[in-house]
Amino acid sequence: MPHSDTRSQPEVRELLARIQELEHLNQVAGDDLRAAAALLEHTLCLAHSGTWEWNLREDTVELSPMACEILGRPPGRTRWNRPEMTGLMHPDDLPDARGALLVLLEEGGPAVGDVTVRVCRQPGQWRWVRVRGSVAARDAGGGALKPVSYTHLT
């Protein structure tokens, strides 16, 4: 039995044209997003600031290329686990850093956390780094889902 389509040829052509238009708009939006991301990265580099994002599920930290440079990490490796990251901090600064992070992550915590710590870029080479962070997304109960931050070499 032959298949009968209830749509007319003009309707099908109109739907195909609309699909092509949406594909084009999606491509333009993607191009705009990539351009905005490149501009942001360039601006952060000019300010000598980098960004990082903490994946709470995997307990990993994703660093921007500039954050890698600031922290003295290899530029090709942007994903680190949290213990590796805290291992970069001077032991005397860990209590302040942990305290600032815990306050930031708690429900109803401050909009922005701010702490300055020493980071070991290479053995024996300590640099002061200012870390400001916020929680970019919270769950319905107010729990932190996506902590993000920027890091600035002081």
Side-chain angles (χ1 to χ4, degrees), residues 134-146:
S134 67
V135 176
R138 292 189 181 272
D139 62 23
L145 290 175
K146 186 176 179 181

Side-chain angles (χ1 to χ4, degrees), residues 66-87:
M66 181 52 74
C68 287
E69 183 178 320
I70 291 168
L71 298 175
R73 303 299 95 198
R77 181 176 173 209
T78 59
R79 181 169 290 221
W80 298 81
N81 66 46
R82 187 179 42 82
E84 287 175 312
M85 294 301 297
T86 56

Side-chain angles (χ1 to χ4, degrees), residues 106-121:
E106 71 185 18
E107 182 181 344
V112 176
D114 195 339
V115 66
T116 300
V117 297
R118 287 165 285 183
V119 173
C120 185
R121 291 174 45 93

